[in-house]
Amino acid sequence: MTTMIETCRIPPPQGAAAELFLSLSFFDMMWLHFNTTRRLIFYSHTCSEAEFSNNIVPNLKHSLSLTLKHYLPVAGNLLYPLDTDASKPVFRYISVDSVSLTIAVSGLDFDELVANHARESDQFYDLLPRTPNVADEENYQIVALVSLQVTLFPGRGICIGLSNHHSLSDGRSILGFMKAWAMINKSGDDEVFVSQNGESLPFFERPIGKESSRLNGIFWDVMKKIPFQPAATHPLPTNRVRASFILRQSDIKNLKNLIFSARPNMDRVSTFVVAAAYVWTTLAKSLGPAGDEDEVFIFGADARGRRNAMFDPPLAVNYFGNCLDGRVVRVEHRKLAAEDGFVAAAVAVAGEMKAKIYDGDEFLISPENLLTEMEKYKDMRALGITGSPNLDFTEADFGWGEAEKVEFLSLDGAGYLMSLFNSRNGDLAVGMSLSKEEMEAFASMFATGLYM
């Protein structure tokens, strides 16, 4: 259904820095074994194959090269040591490095792919690059950090598929790269991008805080004991279906009112808290009792620009890398499944954020505790989250307007994971990937809960 037209390598332009070596911080190390993050960004754009080949593809190649000048790590590799006692992983870019870019044309149904109803997950992997991402070098395994695919749906749209190794960067950094590429492609050069960003161009040196050296050692001692196995580019079959669920502004307002009615003394209820709590309780109720009577919700908190116990002043917002602290909320299943389970979940999530994130004296005070905490929760049913309304990939405008839809294929992994992103008209979209039976139960419960 999808034909690969070309696979090429795009290097930074002449005049870019010759090399860049970066050690991994503990922020990066915690993601070493989570491997690849996969995103698809869909654009509605009427385009013939001739226009695609003659104009759009050459422009994308040129603008990608210019973008890499400002994002050298994207063109680089992760070097993972074969002897983990002798050395540590490192990010390396040298002048011969480049990004793999695949060009394709698809006969899949564009309208079906960008719909919200349940669709077979496997078909989406046609839109991801298939280039090998692992090689060997003396003393190291070499893993490509980023690969890209641009797919045309003739007369209907374009999809940009992005795979990146999670240790390179979090969603904020990858979004910065994608928006820079889009801006440079739309303007034809990098002058607008540079002039608009000025002193806030991305910087890459790993952060040094009060406990950085100690924490880097602690995290590496744990991570090096886990066999390093880079993920397959196409982990098929997924045995999943994926769907998007819309929380309208009116829904969010009503859910907030439910919380304030039950807990009038709560001083802060964010849209994130409402969405997370509603999805968590909906999933718990639709799946039924867990093997363990407690369930957990796991989410990340960005440390950039936020007062915390480790970095003074806080890390700048233009830092490129991972900068997330993981937070875990634990609630008994019977409470989640109760009639007022949504309120219980919201109170728990909001309480964790207030105590451990909004309080700068507590935020990042002991990141190593996450290692022991995650071990405690390994046998409990867990829901994680990727994406955020504040990280809007639809804003990456390559000259074709804002994106129609974003799909996070990383949801297809083991366990339960939700995505959260902006939809049109100011609404919020929740992405889920479940078995067909689980999705039917979740969809029914999701709709019913909003209109009770």
Side-chain angles (χ1 to χ4, degrees):
M1 295 293 287
T2 300
T3 303
M4 306 303 158
I5 304 300
E6 174 190 7
T7 297
C8 57
R9 308 288 311 189
I10 306 297
Q14 290 186 347
E19 63 180 28
L20 179 66
F21 288 82
L22 298 171
S23 59
L24 276 67
S25 74
F26 72 90
F27 285 122
D28 304 319
M29 288 182 192
M30 71 171 69
W31 298 106
L32 274 170
H33 302 291
F34 283 83
N35 287 306
T36 304
T37 299
R38 307 175 181 92
R39 296 178 179 88
L40 300 176
I41 310 174
F42 292 89
Y43 295 86
S44 293
H45 182 63
T46 303
C47 175
S48 66
E49 291 191 46
E51 181 188 355
F52 182 67
S53 299
N54 296 332
N55 297 316
I56 289 180
V57 170
N59 290 340
L60 286 172
K61 290 179 179 179
H62 175 66
S63 59
L64 177 56
S65 177
L66 292 179
T67 307
L68 292 174
K69 177 172 69 174
H70 306 287
Y71 286 87
L72 284 178
V74 173
N77 297 283
L78 169 68
L79 274 61
Y80 193 91
L82 299 179
D83 184 350
T84 55
D85 291 323
S87 56
K88 296 180 179 179
V90 65
F91 298 125
R92 182 190 72 179
Y93 164 78
I94 54 178
S95 59
V96 297
D97 287 334
S98 56
V99 170
S100 173
L101 175 65
T102 298
I103 307 299
V105 176
S106 181
L108 292 172
D109 187 336
F110 182 88
D111 293 328
E112 175 76 2
L113 293 171
V114 300
N116 290 331
H117 63 258
R119 293 97 72 221
E120 294 291 337
S121 290
D122 288 6
Q123 64 183 321
F124 288 86
Y125 287 83
D126 266 10
L127 309 178
L128 280 178
R130 293 179 178 270
T131 51
N133 62 354
V134 182
D136 290 321
E137 185 177 284
E138 185 178 3
N139 300 323
Y140 290 98
Q141 274 186 289
I142 302 178
V143 181
L145 291 171
V146 173
S147 55
L148 296 157
Q149 178 169 317
V150 180
T151 304
L152 172 69
F153 297 82
R156 189 61 189 89
I158 294 173
C159 175
I160 295 182
L162 167 69
S163 295
N164 70 278
H165 196 279
H166 208 331
S167 66
L168 171 67
S169 65
D170 54 28
R172 181 176 294 277
S173 292
I174 287 296
L175 174 60
F177 163 70
M178 291 299 294
K179 292 177 75 171
W181 183 18
M183 182 181 295
I184 292 170
N185 188 75
K186 187 175 182 178
S187 64
D189 56 46
D190 64 347
E191 292 181 4
V192 174
F193 168 71
V194 173
S195 65
Q196 289 191 7
N197 288 274
E199 296 181 357
S200 64
L201 290 170
F203 75 93
F204 311 106
E205 290 300 325
R206 267 32 198 170
I208 299 177
K210 300 173 185 177
E211 301 286 333
S212 293
S213 179
R214 181 182 69 86
L215 288 168
N216 292 346
I218 289 174
F219 274 77
W220 177 233
D221 284 343
V222 172
M223 295 301 165
K224 71 181 183 181
K225 296 175 183 176
I226 304 173
F228 185 67
Q229 297 176 329
T233 57
H234 290 63
L236 300 175
T238 63
N239 300 314
R240 299 267 189 130
V241 295
R242 57 177 44 249
S244 299
F245 300 87
I246 304 301
L247 285 172
R248 295 175 175 81
Q249 288 297 316
S250 58
D251 297 327
I252 294 169
K253 182 179 179 180
N254 290 338
L255 290 171
K256 285 185 177 182
N257 288 338
L258 279 177
I259 298 170
F260 287 126
S261 295
R263 299 289 191 276
N265 294 327
M266 286 189 68
D267 58 354
R268 183 170 188 167
V269 178
S270 67
T271 298
F272 172 84
V273 167
V274 167
Y278 188 71
V279 174
W280 188 18
T281 51
T282 301
L283 183 67
K285 293 174 181 178
S286 65
L287 294 178
D292 191 291
E293 283 303 302
D294 284 353
E295 302 198 35
V296 296
F297 174 65
I298 304 169
F299 65 100
D302 191 349
R304 296 176 183 83
R306 192 192 299 273
R307 190 170 71 87
N308 61 78
M310 180 170 294
F311 303 110
D312 187 16
L315 202 58
V317 295
N318 56 326
Y319 170 68
F320 184 96
N322 284 291
C323 197
L324 296 177
D325 179 39
R327 305 310 317 163
V328 181
V329 184
R330 177 174 176 173
V331 176
E332 294 175 62
H333 172 78
R334 65 177 181 83
K335 291 184 178 180
L336 290 179
E339 185 176 349
D340 61 349
F342 164 68
V343 173
V347 169
V349 175
E352 178 72 10
M353 295 177 72
K354 182 177 181 180
K356 299 297 184 180
I357 299 175
Y358 297 144
D359 185 343
D361 294 330
E362 292 295 322
F363 187 37
L364 289 184
I365 194 168
S366 298
E368 69 273 26
N369 289 347
L370 184 63
L371 296 171
T372 54
E373 284 185 18
M374 295 308 293
E375 183 66 21
K376 290 189 299 185
Y377 303 134
K378 68 178 183 179
D379 294 326
M380 299 179 190
R381 189 161 66 196
L383 172 65
I385 183 169
T386 184
S388 163
N390 296 325
L391 303 178
D392 193 351
F393 279 83
T394 65
E395 293 178 349
D397 180 1
F398 285 80
W400 320 316
E402 289 196 351
E404 175 86 6
K405 187 76 176 293
V406 179
E407 289 285 350
F408 296 81
L409 299 196
S410 306
L411 303 186
D412 294 332
Y416 299 103
L417 192 64
M418 63 178 280
S419 65
L420 200 59
F421 54 97
N422 291 320
S423 182
R424 298 199 166 185
N425 304 317
D427 297 331
L428 201 59
V430 175
M432 297 294 292
S433 171
L434 302 166
S435 71
K436 185 176 180 180
E437 294 75 16
E438 289 172 339
M439 186 66 80
E440 290 174 352
F442 179 87
S444 175
M445 190 73 68
F446 189 95
T448 301
L450 291 178
Y451 298 104
M452 287 183 64

